Amino acid sequence: MKIENPWKQNPWFESVAVAQRRAQKRLPAPVYAALLAGSERGQTVRDNQGAFAELGLLPHVAGQAAERSMTRTVLGQEVSVPVLISPTGVQAVHPDGEVAVARAAHNRGTLMGLSNFASRPVEEVVEACPRTLFQMYWTGDRDVMVQRMQRAHRAGAIGLIATLDWSFSMGRDWGSPEIPEKIDLAAMVRLAPKVATKPRWLMQFGPRHLPDLTAPNLAPAGGAAPTFFGAYYEWMTTPPPSWADVAWMREQWAEISGTPFVLKGVARVDDARRAVDAGVDAISVSNHGGNNLDGTPAAIRLLHPIATAVGDRVEVLMDGGVRRGSDVVKALALGARAVLIGRAYLWGLAANGQAGVENVLDILRGGIDSALLGLGVSSIDELTPETLLVPDGFHVP
């Protein structure tokens, strides 16, 4: 009797952990390793997830609400679930890349974040999800940055995310995956032994559509898109921004678009206060998913002191380590307006394309609802720090 592959019969997965395992099974080793990327020993990557497990929930046995609400207004937009798509670069794990993710975000009623280093142009992504936030690094001169803002505005972006925390150490204790500058014959020959073990992954691209490792949103007007490493070189040779530069960037976006400006990568109370002074509309408490300075505490440890310090002067988002709906609930209880996810949806994308990303969002939504039910609250608006069991010394002042 022939036994069918259960994955082929049922591509749905029941947790983000299962999506990760399926992504690992499907992707060539260096591609999967790139999704796990964290700097140096990976201390921050581990703490981003582990810290959530230190927070407890105390459920009620009776009297729970029959209906629970998860809708919220974030950056002026109503979302059906307080989980946004964080911008991540070069989503070459699937042929449709960022467009598939954007469609999933649109179908699930949330916001899409598109990276400067994305593999698909902002125009295509906004068409797939009209509620797209465009993310920029501080890279290139000011005229170039203004041109990129103008392009994002013309495409219809509903906000700008400035990510300024990236220092990106190549020194990883487990080794950095090889990422070719471009997919040409030489790269194909060199990587063939690793890719040959995952024929299903390569076949989905088709013979004329190999993985795209360029950054079209960094292309000059009328010019060719740089490779990922070309874009990285531009970032490396751009002097780091000052707080005056942050204010300038915010002012430029206000003149061009007038839509929200988010500063991503805030990990200190004093920086959060400076961000308020610079006029930003929102901040994201983040350590770049462990890809920045290793040893930075988990984002969830930083969240409550920062949210308390800025009050209601700006919206506070958080990203880093979210894998379950209960993680989202814990972040909201500690002051986040919403969370952003990165690796979680990339694993869903690798496992099953657009449907896989929708699957991940559905898992998180279901987990949020389950947590709200157990806690006996009818809305995410009722979540407070008192909802949680927080151990002494958890928060980083």
Side-chain angles (χ1 to χ4, degrees):
M1 181 178 69
K2 182 179 179 181
I3 300 177
E4 293 289 340
N5 181 347
W7 181 14
K8 185 176 180 180
Q9 289 179 325
N10 182 18
W12 182 87
F13 39 84
E14 63 273 16
S15 71
V16 173
V18 173
Q20 180 179 356
R21 290 197 292 271
R22 292 191 181 175
Q24 183 176 16
K25 182 177 180 181
R26 189 177 185 87
L27 296 173
V31 178
Y32 177 70
L35 299 188
L36 293 179
S39 60
E40 297 182 344
R41 64 167 61 89
Q43 176 181 340
T44 298
V45 172
R46 290 190 298 273
D47 196 35
N48 269 349
Q49 294 184 67
F52 278 106
E54 297 178 25
L55 295 169
L57 299 170
L58 293 173
H60 287 284
V61 71
Q64 293 94 333
E67 297 181 359
R68 279 81 54 193
S69 172
M70 283 171 270
T71 61
R72 176 162 277 183
T73 300
V74 181
L75 302 175
Q77 302 286 327
E78 184 176 289
V79 295
S80 65
V81 63
V83 179
L84 317 182
I85 297 297
S86 186
T88 62
V90 190
Q91 295 174 14
V93 299
H94 187 275
D96 293 335
E98 293 84 359
V99 170
V101 178
R103 289 172 181 153
H106 180 64
N107 287 349
R108 291 301 182 265
T110 191
L111 310 184
M112 170 72 183
L114 179 69
S115 172
N116 240 171
F117 286 8
S119 60
R120 301 297 287 269
V122 61
E123 294 81 7
E124 291 183 11
V125 174
V126 172
E127 183 178 2
C129 180
R131 299 197 298 172
T132 292
L133 302 159
F134 186 69
Q135 178 255 16
M136 286 182 58
Y137 291 98
W138 183 262
T139 174
D141 62 35
R142 287 190 171 196
D143 288 342
V144 166
M145 283 186 265
V146 168
Q147 290 168 9
R148 290 169 181 164
M149 292 183 208
Q150 291 170 336
R151 177 181 173 184
H153 172 62
R154 288 195 301 269
I158 63 163
L160 189 77
I161 301 174
T163 302
L164 306 181
D165 66 323
W166 194 29
S167 62
F168 195 76
S169 169
M170 291 297 292
R172 301 189 180 102
D173 287 6
W174 55 86
S176 298
E178 179 185 359
I179 303 174
E181 183 168 7
K182 58 182 177 179
I183 302 295
D184 54 14
L185 182 59
M188 291 171 64
V189 170
R190 187 172 66 256
L191 297 174
K194 297 176 181 177
V195 176
T197 62
K198 308 292 182 180
R200 288 179 59 197
W201 176 77
L202 187 60
M203 287 173 60
Q204 67 180 341
F205 287 90
R208 300 189 181 188
H209 299 89
L210 293 172
D212 187 354
L213 299 182
T214 61
N217 294 306
L218 296 178
T227 65
F228 177 84
F229 287 101
Y232 180 69
Y233 177 78
E234 181 187 79
W235 169 79
M236 287 181 62
T237 54
T238 302
S242 65
W243 280 105
D245 291 326
V246 174
W248 172 85
M249 199 175 191
R250 196 276 306 168
E251 290 166 2
Q252 293 302 310
W253 182 248
E255 290 180 9
I256 292 168
S257 174
T259 57
F261 181 95
V262 183
L263 180 63
K264 187 173 183 291
V266 177
R268 297 171 54 115
V269 167
D270 56 351
D271 278 358
R273 289 179 173 140
R274 285 184 170 185
V276 172
D277 292 341
V280 307
D281 299 294
I283 58 175
S284 181
V285 178
S286 170
N287 51 41
H288 214 108
N291 271 304
N292 189 27
L293 184 63
D294 197 31
T296 305
I300 191 66
R301 298 187 193 279
L302 306 167
L303 175 60
H304 186 57
I306 289 174
T308 301
V310 301
D312 59 1
R313 290 175 290 172
V314 295
E315 292 187 25
V316 177
L317 311 175
M318 192 222 77
D319 68 89
V322 174
R323 302 289 186 272
R324 298 166 183 83
S326 59
D327 295 341
V328 180
V329 166
K330 292 170 182 178
L332 300 186
L334 292 179
R337 188 83 186 149
V339 304
L340 298 101
I341 58 170
R343 289 182 178 90
Y345 78 77
L346 289 174
W347 289 326
L349 178 66
N352 197 28
Q354 175 185 335
V357 180
E358 293 173 355
N359 195 157
V360 165
L361 290 169
D362 290 344
I363 288 167
L364 295 177
R365 181 184 182 87
I368 296 169
D369 188 61
S370 179
L372 295 179
L373 174 63
L375 291 170
V377 298
S378 61
S379 168
I380 57 175
D381 295 331
E382 298 175 35
L383 296 170
T384 67
E386 289 68 35
T387 307
L388 309 180
L389 188 63
V390 183
D392 291 340
F394 179 83
H395 301 303
V396 176

